[in-house]
Amino acid sequence: MGDVRHYHNYINGQFLPAQSGETMVTRSPGDNSDLAVFPRSGQADVDHAVQAAQAAFDTEWSKVHSAPDRSKLLRNLAQTLRDNINDLAELESLDTGKTITETQLIDVLQAADTFEFYADLAGHIQGEVIPVPGDVVNLALREPLGVCGAIAAWNFPLMFLAWKTAPALATGNTVVYKPSELAPSTTLEVARYMHEVGFPKGTINIVGGALEVGQALAEHPDLAKISFTGSVETGRKVASAAGLTPKRVTLELGGKSPNIVFADCHLDNAVSGALNAMFLNAGQVCLAGSRLYIEDSIYDEFLERYISRVAKIKVGLPLDWDARMGALITPEHKRRVQGFVDRAVQAGAKLLVGGKTPDDPELSRGNYLLPTVFADVPPEADVGCNEVFGPVLSVFRFSGEEEAIRLANDTSYGLASAIWTENGSKALRVAKAIQAGTVWINTYLRVNPYSPHGGYKRSGFGRELSHLALEEFTQIKNVYIDHDPAEFLTIFE
Ligand code: NAD
C-alpha cells in the first residue's frame, strides 16, 4: 500500500534510533503489507527518556513554563492535528485497519478536541484555602507529580496519545509515552508535530517498542505515575511491577458491556445504537456493547430489524469511503476472534449472521471477518462472557427490570453499559443499579473530552478525560501558616 515509512524515537527533543539499533515493522491490517519501520527500544532508551523528562521537569516545564504557555502549546498542537487531518486519518486507517470514515470523523478530531480541552483547563488548576480555626492560613496546593509514564493499546492510537499526554502536560508533568507496537505510526508522526510546535526538549518523549519498553516503564523507580490502557492480563502485570517502586497507577482495561433494550424503547434508535455499540472499529473497542439483552416481548421484532441491518454492513479496505467495517489488527488476532466463533458454534450457539471471512477477493490479503451475531448462547460458550475484541455479538433475552440488572451485572468487568427505554424513572433506576463506569441512556459510545472515562470492577481504576483527569496527574501539598502573635504552645519545657 505504498512506501514503507521510517520512524525514530523522540527523546530529549531529538529523533533517535534505539540504542541497540534494533527495529520492528508494523503491517497494515487491510492487506498485511509493511507500513512502517520503527525502533525496538529497550531499557537504555527508557532510561534516557526518563532522565530527559526528569531534567525537563526539574529545570523548565513545571517551573518556567506557566499555565498560559502550556495551554498555548497544547492548543497549537491541536490545530496542527486539524491542519493535517487528511494525512493523519489515512495513516491511522492504514495502521489500525479501521475505516477512513471513522478516522476522519472520530479519531483525529477527538484527539484535537482533547488537546484543546486541556489547553482550556491548564489555567484552571487550583488548590484550596482550608478554613482552619485560629490565626492560621491553610493552603492545599495542587502540584504536578513529576515524570509520568504511559503505555497504550493499539485500537485508538491518536486518541490515547491525547487522553494521556494532554492532562499530564497541562498540569506541568513531563511524559514518557509508549505506543502499541501494533499501531505506532500516528503517534510517531505526531512526535514531529510536537517538536515543530515547540514543546521544550524532554517534556514529551515517545519510545517505540514492544513489551520490554512497557515493563521498563512500569518498573522504573524514577516515574511518579504510570497510566496504562490495555488488557486485564497486562494491566495486572503493570500494576504489580509498578508496586515494586511505588508510584501512582491508573488502569484502563477491557470490558464485556451489556446493552439493555427494554420493550418500551424507541425501536429504530435502539437498533441503530446496537449497531454502533458492536461494530464500530470492527468491535475492537473496550466499550463495545458485546452483550445485547432484548426484552422478551420485542425480541423477535428487534432481532429481525437488527440482523437485516447487520447483513448490510459493508466490510472493506480501510481507505474505502463506502466501507463501514475494516480489518482486525493482525492475522493472529483474527484467528483468536475466529476461535471464539468456532467454539460458540460447537457449544450450540445459534449463528444468526456472519461468522466467516468475507468472499470479496479484494479483501483476501487482509484480516477481515464479517459482522457476526449469536443468539441462544449457552453458558459454556466463552463468547458470551469473555472479551472477544472483534465484531462478534451475543444476544440474550430477558424479562423485566430485575432480571436485566442481574444479567448485566453478572460479569467481572464493569466498563460500560447502555439502557434503551422511554421511561425516565426506569432508566435512572437501572442506571443506578448497574456496576459500570459509564451508563448510556438511549445512546451508545458517546465519548468526549468533557466526560470521565474509566472502569468499575476488573475494568480498571482511575479516570481519564474530563476535569477529573487533572486529579490523576496532580498531588496536594498542605501548607500550614501559623501567624498567631501569641507565644507558641508546647507541652515541652
Ligand atoms: P495489551 O495488554 O496486549 O497491550 C497494551 C500495551 O501494553 C501495549 O503497548 C503493549 O506493548 C504493552 N505491554 C504488553 N505486555 C506488557 C507488560 N508485561 N508490561 C508492560 N507493558 C506491556 O492490550 P492490547 O491488545 O494492545 O489492547 C487491547 C486491550 O485493551 C483490550 O482488552 C481492550 O479492552 C483494552 N482497552 C481498554 C481501553 C480502556 O480505556 N478501558 C481502551 C482501549 C483498549
Side-chain angles (χ1 to χ4, degrees):
M1 274 197 185
D3 295 338
V4 175
R5 294 158 185 257
H6 289 262
Y7 291 109
H8 282 333
N9 289 332
Y10 182 55
I11 299 177
N12 205 24
Q14 293 178 298
F15 292 92
L16 301 170
Q19 292 191 27
S20 66
E22 286 185 56
T23 56
M24 303 179 79
V25 175
T26 172
R27 300 205 165 78
S28 188
D31 63 1
N32 286 306
S33 59
D34 289 355
L35 182 69
V37 178
F38 63 100
R40 181 190 283 277
S41 310
Q43 182 76 50
D45 305 290
V46 170
D47 287 345
H48 184 196
V50 173
Q51 277 160 18
Q54 189 68 60
F57 181 78
D58 291 340
T59 58
E60 206 171 355
W61 187 242
S62 67
K63 299 192 171 58
V64 183
H65 279 264
S66 59
D69 290 341
R70 299 199 294 266
S71 176
K72 197 165 152 198
L73 287 166
L74 290 167
R75 198 177 305 286
N76 289 347
L77 180 60
Q79 189 55 48
T80 311
L81 297 193
R82 292 190 197 286
D83 294 345
N84 290 281
I85 184 168
N86 293 337
D87 290 350
L88 281 174
E90 188 172 313
L91 185 57
E92 193 78 314
S93 286
L94 291 175
D95 211 12
T96 61
K98 67 175 82 173
T99 64
I100 187 77
T101 304
E102 283 189 40
T103 55
Q104 277 267 353
L105 291 181
I106 303 172
D107 298 62
V108 183
L109 295 177
Q110 267 261 355
D113 288 350
T114 303
F115 281 116
E116 263 160 19
F117 176 71
Y118 287 104
D120 287 345
L121 287 191
H124 298 273
I125 298 155
Q126 293 168 350
E128 291 175 28
V129 179
I130 298 168
V132 177
D135 282 341
V136 159
V137 176
N138 189 187
L139 306 175
L141 305 183
R142 187 171 285 282
E143 299 192 332
L145 301 174
V147 181
C148 297
I151 304 171
W154 45 263
N155 54 337
F156 291 93
L158 275 174
M159 282 162 55
F160 296 149
L161 180 67
W163 290 14
K164 292 185 189 300
T165 63
L169 294 168
T171 42
N173 300 279
T174 56
V175 181
V176 179
Y177 186 93
K178 176 210 173 313
S180 166
E181 63 274 32
L182 299 181
S185 300
T186 48
T187 302
L188 293 163
E189 197 71 35
V190 172
R192 206 163 47 77
Y193 303 159
M194 288 167 160
H195 188 72
E196 286 163 10
V197 158
F199 281 89
K201 68 175 185 177
T203 311
I204 167 87
N205 305 273
I206 313 277
V207 183
L211 82 163
E212 299 80 17
V213 176
Q215 282 168 336
L217 282 172
E219 290 167 4
H220 209 290
D222 298 332
L223 288 188
K225 172 183 167 92
I226 194 93
S227 166
F228 174 80
T229 296
S231 60
V232 173
E233 196 187 0
T234 311
R236 217 178 269 137
K237 292 180 192 159
V238 166
S240 59
L244 296 175
T245 51
K247 53 179 75 76
R248 292 242 198 138
V249 180
T250 52
L251 297 179
E252 301 291 348
L253 310 177
K256 187 75 185 174
S257 299
N259 184 17
I260 306 168
V261 182
F262 285 101
D264 56 3
C265 69
H266 185 300
L267 203 59
D268 285 340
N269 287 352
V271 168
S272 298
L275 292 168
N276 271 6
M278 192 60 246
F279 298 115
L280 270 174
N281 198 11
Q284 300 166 118
V285 178
C286 55
L287 299 160
S290 51
R291 291 185 291 144
L292 175 62
Y293 294 99
I294 308 171
E295 195 156 22
D296 258 339
S297 60
I298 58 160
Y299 184 87
D300 292 332
E301 187 188 356
F302 185 99
L303 264 191
E304 197 185 310
R305 289 196 199 193
Y306 186 69
I307 296 301
S308 75
R309 288 186 60 187
V310 172
K312 285 190 201 133
I313 294 175
K314 182 182 176 200
V315 179
L317 294 169
L319 299 187
D320 175 355
W321 277 97
D322 294 328
R324 289 293 169 266
M325 222 180 77
L328 303 186
I329 189 74
T330 58
E332 297 74 37
H333 186 58
K334 185 191 160 186
R335 278 195 289 280
R336 183 182 163 275
V337 174
Q338 186 72 53
F340 275 99
V341 172
D342 297 345
R343 289 193 297 280
V345 171
Q346 276 158 23
K350 187 168 161 196
L351 180 62
L352 300 180
V353 64
K356 60 184 177 69
T357 302
D359 297 328
D360 186 348
E362 202 182 27
L363 306 182
S364 61
R365 288 186 296 139
N367 320 315
Y368 299 92
L369 185 71
L370 288 172
T372 300
V373 180
F374 282 107
D376 303 336
V377 180
E380 60 274 21
D382 59 355
V383 75
C385 52
N386 290 339
E387 185 183 45
V388 178
F389 222 54
V392 184
L393 176 70
S394 299
V395 182
F396 304 91
R397 56 168 89 218
F398 72 93
S399 170
E401 222 173 297
E402 217 171 283
E403 188 178 21
I405 293 167
R406 184 177 58 73
L407 292 170
N409 287 337
D410 185 19
T411 172
S412 59
Y413 294 106
L415 196 55
S417 58
I419 302 158
W420 299 84
T421 172
E422 296 290 281
N423 179 332
S425 316
K426 187 201 291 185
L428 277 179
R429 271 195 310 274
V430 179
K432 285 178 79 175
I434 287 185
Q435 297 151 359
T438 291
V439 182
W440 286 292
I441 297 173
N442 295 331
T443 186
Y444 207 104
L445 271 187
R446 290 270 181 187
V447 177
N448 65 68
Y450 311 94
S451 312
H453 165 78
Y456 274 30
K457 297 175 14 181
R458 291 215 185 138
S459 291
F461 47 78
R463 289 294 175 270
E464 290 196 309
L465 300 177
S466 83
H467 68 286
L468 297 175
L470 300 177
E471 289 176 19
E472 307 278 352
F473 285 100
T474 51
Q475 55 194 339
I476 298 295
K477 180 179 282 168
N478 181 32
V479 178
Y480 195 94
I481 311 159
D482 190 335
H483 58 93
D484 184 348
E487 201 175 326
F488 188 78
L489 276 182
T490 175
I491 58 166
F492 299 105
E493 293 290 312

